[in-house]
């Protein structure tokens, strides 16, 4: 049986360990079945732990290693084909939508860090209206897992994310690229799209009431200022509140023709401010905890002058692990350098946009085979 180092993709906070974990000298560190209770325990095991993994023996038989990036791109391509048929009222698509949702779930389960990084580094794979649904599903699943939602709730939430904008499918690409203020007609399309989406889902034979309720309420606000029905507080389904948060974050960090993408940390700061009135504060705090102050994939400048990419979460939300890709004098590095930003010289000075960095980054250089095309 093969021995390998344990990774962040193998373990999650609050979940039981599937293996015995051993130190480099072979001593048992933690027994199978132990429940990880803190991020510090997770990081400590990743730094020191090794496991016996029989799946590696099977994996050698495959030419293509598992890739989160490929899974999400396949999900996006299949959704791109399914959504127009769904909007046209085609019945019998439930199985395909379930399969797409399962692909997103498999991607998050394989490596949640890479799945979140794809939101920032895979923005050209498909049209915005499709990619945005996939990105939203990734963030929604990440938060839902932290909230220990059931498999049925995870599936419902993911299906709602994939179909939440069905009611403005024919308009979204135009609205996404329009530089002019919205006309009154376009404002009406936006405000009515949750209801239209619900109608189209039922017309296509979808009778899952929880799914449809989540789609219908994903633009409602805690204080009743949302749309289409002006629901407030407890009248809004919890899954819809979660979906709303994921939707807003992903929309803000996406490239738009009429504006630059918001920096990820700024998008989270805005969400934190909105949680005082329009958003569910408890779910918002979980979102920020799971993504971190500097979400995976963010470009950052360190105090030592290097520029890097946030590769994974650290022991606390303000000190992630960074892969430096540009040296302090501005020259790209041939060999990337891993930096623990808890150190004084390696601390994060500020967050940068992709335009400021000016490099085309291959994701697999940071995250390995889990991010291979």
């Amino acid at each position: 049986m093969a021995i390998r180092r344990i990774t962040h993709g193998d373990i999650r906070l609050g979940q039981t360990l599937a293996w015995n974990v051993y130190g480099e000298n072979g001593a048992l560190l933690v027994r199978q079945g132990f429940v990880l209770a803190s991020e510090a325990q997770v990081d400590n095991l990743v730094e020191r732990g090794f496991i016996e993994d029989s799946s590696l023996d099977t994996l050698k038989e495959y030419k293509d290693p598992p890739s989160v990036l490929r899974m999400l791109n396949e999900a996006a391509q299949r959704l791109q084909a399914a959504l127009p048929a769904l909007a046209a009222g085609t019945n019998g698509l439930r199985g395909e939508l379930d399969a797409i949702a399962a692909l997103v779930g498999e991607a998050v389960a394989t490596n949640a860090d890479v799945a979140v990084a794809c939101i920032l580094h895979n923005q050209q794979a498909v049209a915005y209206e499709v990619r945005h649904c996939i990105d939203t599903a990734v963030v929604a699943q990440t938060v839902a897992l932290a909230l220990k939602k059931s498999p049925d709730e995870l599936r419902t939430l993911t299906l709602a994310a994939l179909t939440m904008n069905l009611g403005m499918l024919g308009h979204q690409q135009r609205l996404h690229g329009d530089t002019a203020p919205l006309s009154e007609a376009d404002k009406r399309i936006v405000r009515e799209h949750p209801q239209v989406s619900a109608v189209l889902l039922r017309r296509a034979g979808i009778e899952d009431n929880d799914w449809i309720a989540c789609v219908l309420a994903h633009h409602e606000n805690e204080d009743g200022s949302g749309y289409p029905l002006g629901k407030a507080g407890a009248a809004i389904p919890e899954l819809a509140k979660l979906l709303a948060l994921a939707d807003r974050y992903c929309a803000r960090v996406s490239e738009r023709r009429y504006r630059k993408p918001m920096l990820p940390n700024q998008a989270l700061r805005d969400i934190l401010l909105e949680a005082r009135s329009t958003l569910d504060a408890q779910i918002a705090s979980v979102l920020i905890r799971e993504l971190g102050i500097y979400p995976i994939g963010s470009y950052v400048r360190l105090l030592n002058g290097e520029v890097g990419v946030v590769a994974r979460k650290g022991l606390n939300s303000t000190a992630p692990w960074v892969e430096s890709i540009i040296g302090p004098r501005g020259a790209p590095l041939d060999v990337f350098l891993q930096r623990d930003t808890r150190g004084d010289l390696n601390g994060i000075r500020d967050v940068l946009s992709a335009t400021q960095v000016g490099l085309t980054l291959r994701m697999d250089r940071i995250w390995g085979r889990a991010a291979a095309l």
Side-chain angles (χ1 to χ4, degrees):
M1 186 177 293
I3 304 294
R4 67 171 175 86
R5 184 177 291 277
I6 199 167
T7 71
H8 278 83
D10 296 319
I11 52 179
R12 292 187 63 85
L13 189 63
Q15 292 186 352
T16 57
L17 283 173
W19 316 267
N20 288 328
V21 183
Y22 301 90
E24 195 167 5
N25 61 358
L28 180 65
L29 296 179
V30 182
R31 289 191 180 279
Q32 179 180 355
F34 180 79
V35 178
L36 296 164
S38 70
E39 291 288 357
Q41 288 180 343
V42 172
D43 282 341
N44 186 44
L45 282 188
V46 170
E47 279 189 23
R48 302 171 56 205
F50 293 80
I51 59 175
E52 296 176 335
D53 189 356
S54 59
S55 66
L56 287 180
D57 300 326
T58 305
L59 190 60
K60 293 173 185 176
E61 300 173 8
Y62 294 90
K63 293 182 180 179
D64 292 326
S67 167
V68 169
L69 180 59
R70 283 199 292 267
M71 291 179 205
L72 293 177
N73 281 349
E74 180 185 345
Q77 290 158 7
R78 291 171 68 169
L79 186 64
Q80 189 163 248
L83 285 178
L86 195 65
T90 303
N91 277 257
L93 288 169
R94 174 64 193 261
E96 174 64 359
L97 292 169
D98 280 337
I100 296 169
L103 260 178
V104 176
E106 185 180 357
V108 172
T110 298
N111 193 315
D113 287 351
V114 175
V116 170
C118 286
I119 296 167
L120 300 177
H121 291 278
N122 194 38
Q123 296 204 4
Q124 308 303 323
V126 292
Y128 167 77
E129 63 267 26
V130 176
R131 174 177 52 80
H132 175 65
C133 293
I134 298 292
D135 291 346
T136 300
V138 166
V139 174
Q141 279 214 6
T142 301
V143 179
L145 285 166
L147 291 170
K148 296 182 172 55
K149 296 300 179 186
S150 70
D152 285 346
E153 289 173 311
L154 277 171
R155 183 169 53 252
T156 296
L157 179 63
T158 306
L159 289 166
L162 298 178
T163 57
M164 61 185 177
N165 294 328
L166 190 63
M168 59 178 185
L169 185 64
H171 306 277
Q172 201 169 3
Q173 187 65 26
R174 174 179 60 82
L175 295 175
H176 170 66
D178 202 347
T179 58
L182 291 180
S183 66
E184 288 304 314
D186 285 340
K187 288 179 182 177
R188 187 165 57 251
I189 289 170
V190 171
R191 293 188 67 84
E192 293 176 355
H193 85 268
Q195 289 170 307
V196 176
S197 298
V199 170
L200 291 174
L201 285 169
R202 291 200 183 278
R203 188 180 298 169
I206 304 299
E207 296 296 338
D208 186 322
N209 291 329
D210 291 336
W211 172 358
I212 291 173
C214 192
V215 168
L216 188 59
H218 78 280
H219 280 292
E220 302 288 3
N221 290 332
E222 284 293 301
D223 61 0
S225 64
Y227 59 87
L229 301 177
K231 291 185 176 182
I236 306 169
E238 186 181 14
L239 291 182
K241 295 179 182 185
L242 203 165
L243 180 59
L245 280 162
D247 180 23
R248 293 188 195 193
Y249 171 76
C250 293
R252 290 173 186 183
V253 299
S254 292
E255 294 179 6
R256 303 289 186 96
R257 188 174 300 173
Y258 60 87
R259 67 157 174 82
K260 295 178 181 178
M262 189 177 288
L263 294 176
N265 63 320
Q266 292 177 350
L268 289 176
R269 189 181 305 131
D270 277 7
I271 284 173
L272 189 60
L273 292 173
E274 289 174 23
R276 297 175 182 177
S277 56
T278 61
L279 298 174
D280 185 296
Q282 182 177 357
I283 300 177
S285 68
V286 176
L287 170 74
I288 292 167
R289 186 190 73 205
E290 289 303 303
L291 294 187
I293 301 300
Y294 306 103
I296 307 297
S298 300
Y299 287 112
V300 293
R301 181 184 286 112
L302 305 183
L303 292 173
N304 64 14
E306 295 171 356
V307 172
V309 180
V310 176
R312 60 181 175 87
K313 291 189 290 186
L315 291 173
N316 59 65
S317 62
T318 62
W321 286 87
V322 167
E323 291 277 341
S324 287
I325 61 175
I326 297 175
R329 297 183 180 180
L333 297 172
D334 293 328
V335 178
F336 295 166
L337 305 172
Q338 187 178 89
R339 300 300 190 196
D340 180 352
T341 58
R342 289 175 297 176
D344 292 340
L345 292 178
N346 296 334
I348 293 174
R349 178 188 298 170
D350 51 12
V351 179
L352 305 175
S353 68
T355 302
Q356 288 173 302
V357 174
L359 285 181
T360 300
L361 178 70
R362 270 182 43 189
M363 290 184 65
D364 60 342
R365 290 203 64 189
I366 302 293
W367 294 280
R369 69 184 188 188
L373 277 170

